Amino acid sequence: MPTTSKFLQSTRKIIGAGVNYKEILRLTNSPKPDAPVIFFKPISSLLDAGSGSTGSTGTPPTIRIPRVFGGVINFEAELGVIIGRRCANVPTDQAMTYVGGYCLALDMTGMDFILDARPKGLPWCLGKGFDTSTPVSAMVRRADLPNPDDVRVWCEVNGVRKQDDSTRNLIFPIAELIAYVSRFMTLEENDLLLTGTPAGAGPVRHGDVIVCGLGEDLMTMRCQVADE
């Protein structure tokens, strides 16, 4: 069964993988990247949404839209991988032995900011790193997710299904992501690796409610959206 989200108290890095579902390439008629597209989010962006894992009870945690984004941000539901022990230069065939567990995460994004920055060749970390932009569920133990390379990731906004795909359709699977990132930096216990979001990500505004999940009933997370 899922455990608490205490791992967040010692998370030191949040590493995201962009454009990592095959359906996104098909919809955009884009070639497969030669290597994973990696970005970072600050730990100050974390929002402990473990209490929202029931999906229906109590007041859900609140994602705040910064004023600078004009009242709209994008939702992106993802499988998160929690590193279990320190590692560097990990071979792909050994990468999964360094996984400590999994979680459900939202990579909230100021998309207008990013779309403006990309063509200019400018960094777009501010579109990814605002406070509350990384809601995270309680941890799922490895034993409770024996096949992370084939688990559904889904997301609903105000009761309407927006995203629904399986991690079997990742362009770069979990082991490849861990091995690739570990070539450039040491991964530490409780670092969080976001594996990418399925097609269907889109905007949310003040008053919207996001419910996302892993599998049929392995983990759900519920968040509300509000202006800053």
Side-chain angles (χ1 to χ4, degrees), residues 10-125:
S10 56
T11 297
R12 299 182 67 180
K13 293 190 290 294
I14 306 170
I15 303 161
V19 195
N20 201 30
Y21 273 84
K22 297 173 183 176
E23 180 68 3
I24 295 177
L25 295 185
R26 188 189 70 80
L27 291 173
T28 59
N29 195 29
S30 301
K32 176 184 175 180
D34 294 331
V37 177
I38 299 299
F39 61 90
F40 294 91
K41 304 186 74 164
I43 58 173
S44 56
S45 71
L46 286 168
L47 174 63
D48 187 347
S51 61
S53 298
T54 58
S56 60
T57 60
T59 301
T62 300
I63 299 165
R64 298 287 179 185
I65 304 175
R67 295 183 184 90
V68 71
F69 292 145
V72 60
I73 52 178
N74 274 29
F75 63 89
E76 300 182 14
E78 314 204 1
L79 172 67
V81 178
I82 302 161
I83 300 300
R85 54 196 174 103
R86 185 181 177 92
C87 61
N89 292 308
V90 177
T92 302
D93 62 357
Q94 298 178 24
M96 298 304 286
T97 67
Y98 291 93
V99 174
Y102 303 94
C103 66
L104 181 61
L106 284 166
D107 174 23
M108 306 304 296
T109 304
M111 201 64 202
D112 286 347
F113 181 94
I114 290 177
L115 291 175
D116 180 66
R118 277 178 179 166
K120 300 174 183 177
L122 298 175
W124 37 273
C125 57

Side-chain angles (χ1 to χ4, degrees), residues 5 8 10 15 40 81 94 121 139 143 148 164 168 222 228:
S5 44
L8 295 177
S10 56
I15 303 161
F40 294 91
V81 178
Q94 298 178 24
M139 185 172 74
D164 198 338
R168 68 173 176 270
R222 181 172 179 254
E228 187 178 43

Side-chain angles (χ1 to χ4, degrees), residues 147-168:
N147 189 8
D149 289 316
D150 189 6
V151 62
R152 285 178 59 226
V153 178
W154 57 268
C155 186
E156 297 178 351
V157 177
N158 301 329
V160 178
R161 184 65 57 99
K162 298 290 187 177
Q163 295 181 289
D164 198 338
D165 206 340
S166 170
T167 56
R168 68 173 176 270

